Amino acid sequence: MKAEILTLLRQRQDYISGQELCEKFGVSRTAVWKAVNQLKKEGYVIEAVQNKGYRLADVPEILSKDELESRIRTAWAGSPVYFYDEVDSTNIQAKRLAEEQAPHGSLVVADKQTAGRGRRGREWESPAGSNVYFTILLRPQFHPGQASMLTLVMALSVAKGIKSLTGAEAGIKWPNDIVLNGRKIVGILTEMSAEPDFIHHVVIGVGINVAKQGFPEELEQKAAALETELGRKVSRAALIQKIMEYFEEDYTVFVKAGDMSLLIGEYNCRLVNLDREVCVLDPAGEFNGIARGIDKNGELLVEVLDGSIRQVYAGEVSVRGIYGYV
Ligand code: BTN
């Protein structure tokens, strides 16, 4: 009931009488009063005025199950919410929950990860209280061959979420890093459990560096974080909420087309590699060329010296800017 009261207070932005809350939830005034007190203890500033009722006066930066549930109003993306103060990895936890029949759209969020994982077996530093670590669980009904494109869909939704919440023009470094001012601020790790022709589930894990504190010193120098780049505070819960809203839309568009064809324009206009020279680290041989955007399969089109176009598939290679990361 706490999350529902919070939802109502948030929507109303004005006083709601204790009576109305009692009636809505079919509970006593004392039960409402207790729930409101609990929320106050968690840090919400709730005014209680006689004859008027309760009003949400301020929401400090809180990341919790209630906070997320009261914000996320999508049809399926981000529901239910599984929140952990500490977990090994939200991707690993999402896979566990998938085995326990958690539904399509389930969202796993943690304040801290003790075994956060990046791509290619790397670690993902995940200190408490400062960043976003979440994983969404999907049960797609399409062919496993299409699943690698979901990473690109999520990259698009994250870039749009950041832009909408903060105004920052976050770019995408193909296939799925998010970059601000030339530095990586978001990483995405997609994992799938499938048979050759059937997907059991896909988990898409997103790590966003929001504040810098808590990183080991060597990373402190290298890492970029949203708040540091913007010079102001960013609400982690609001960021997750926005991303869920965009992801629900973008995923629906993706499924309708069965590929990236309806999202190419939006993706390419955020692509930081576009029309820039890239070095393609292909295990079969490195080559340089000019990135010309993605095609409908999410492959990067790279124009090589003789003017021909090579399609680069995300799973096999990585791409570097020739003068650095981008
Ligand atoms: C990368 O290497 O760029 C991908 C990093 C992905 C990190 C996120 S944080 C939430 C989720 N849980 C994990 O263990 N990893 C992903």
Side-chain angles (χ1 to χ4, degrees):
M1 189 183 59
K2 246 185 330 140
E4 281 101 337
I5 291 183
L6 192 56
T7 309
L8 266 185
L9 289 170
R10 177 166 263 137
Q11 283 168 350
R12 192 71 61 92
Q13 294 190 345
D14 195 3
Y15 289 95
I16 305 181
S17 72
Q19 186 64 33
E20 188 181 338
L21 290 171
C22 295
E23 281 166 14
K24 197 131 205 148
F25 301 113
V27 295
S28 67
R29 272 178 178 266
T30 324
V32 168
W33 180 81
K34 273 192 183 155
V36 168
N37 262 2
Q38 198 71 46
L39 287 168
K40 282 188 187 169
K41 267 201 203 125
E42 287 169 23
Y44 295 95
V45 184
I46 299 172
E47 286 173 7
V49 175
Q50 239 181 7
N51 297 326
K52 279 181 153 181
Y54 301 104
R55 187 179 78 92
L56 186 61
D58 192 20
V59 180
E61 159 50 14
I62 290 174
L63 190 64
S64 67
K65 185 174 163 65
D66 287 340
E67 177 66 13
L68 289 163
E69 280 180 351
S70 71
R71 281 178 175 276
I72 297 175
R73 311 257 48 93
T74 44
W76 56 267
S79 144
V81 174
Y82 297 87
F83 178 81
Y84 305 89
D85 287 325
E86 184 177 313
V87 76
D88 46 4
S89 146
T90 55
N91 270 30
I92 297 175
Q93 183 60 11
K95 287 191 261 179
R96 285 187 201 113
L97 291 163
E99 299 302 329
E100 293 164 17
Q101 309 314 319
H104 177 75
S106 297
L107 175 66
V108 183
V109 180
D111 184 48
K112 170 183 174 172
Q113 297 184 115
T114 52
R117 298 186 316 161
R119 274 181 297 154
R120 296 167 202 270
R122 287 190 283 254
E123 268 178 50
W124 186 260
E125 279 296 333
S126 309
S130 44
N131 303 314
V132 164
Y133 319 109
F134 76 79
T135 299
I136 187 165
L137 166 67
L138 302 173
R139 298 185 179 280
Q141 291 182 341
F142 45 72
H143 190 271
Q146 291 164 277
S148 65
M149 287 182 266
L150 288 176
T151 296
L152 281 77
V153 177
M154 181 56 89
L156 176 61
S157 309
V158 173
K160 283 158 66 170
I162 291 175
K163 164 78 183 171
S164 148
L165 187 70
T166 68
E169 301 280 354
I172 304 171
K173 175 181 174 285
W174 183 85
N176 58 3
D177 285 350
I178 305 286
V179 173
L180 194 58
N181 304 331
R183 303 208 290 163
K184 173 167 169 172
I185 50 163
V186 179
I188 302 177
L189 177 66
T190 299
E191 298 175 90
M192 171 167 71
S193 156
E195 290 168 37
D197 58 352
F198 177 77
I199 298 178
H200 292 290
H201 59 257
V202 173
V203 299
I204 310 179
V206 178
I208 309 176
N209 295 340
V210 176
K212 253 190 179 177
Q213 74 255 20
F215 282 132
E217 205 167 311
E218 69 281 5
L219 212 71
E220 188 80 35
Q221 310 285 326
K222 267 200 285 172
L226 206 47
E227 286 183 351
T228 325
E229 297 298 312
L230 293 172
R232 65 188 150 81
K233 286 286 196 200
V234 174
S235 153
R236 292 182 290 166
L239 195 52
I240 296 173
Q241 173 198 351
K242 276 274 171 254
I243 295 169
M244 288 301 112
E245 287 167 8
Y246 282 112
F247 185 73
E248 184 164 291
E249 269 177 37
D250 295 337
Y251 181 86
T252 307
V253 171
F254 171 78
V255 170
K256 198 166 134 200
D259 58 31
M260 292 296 288
S261 52
L262 300 173
L263 298 169
I264 288 181
E266 279 194 277
Y267 184 96
N268 279 346
C269 76
R270 292 173 173 81
L271 188 66
V272 289
N273 315 93
L274 194 68
D275 297 330
R276 297 177 81 153
E277 190 161 5
V278 289
C279 173
V280 180
L281 308 171
D282 190 327
E286 249 180 67
F287 62 93
N288 284 13
I290 311 283
R292 296 299 188 201
I294 58 162
D295 62 11
K296 68 180 175 48
N297 298 318
E299 294 160 329
L300 186 67
L301 301 172
V302 178
E303 186 180 329
V304 290
L305 213 55
D306 67 5
S308 65
I309 300 278
R310 290 178 66 168
Q311 293 162 308
V312 181
Y313 178 66
E316 296 158 10
V317 298
S318 63
V319 161
R320 295 264 171 282
I322 56 160
Y323 303 114
Y325 169 64
V326 175

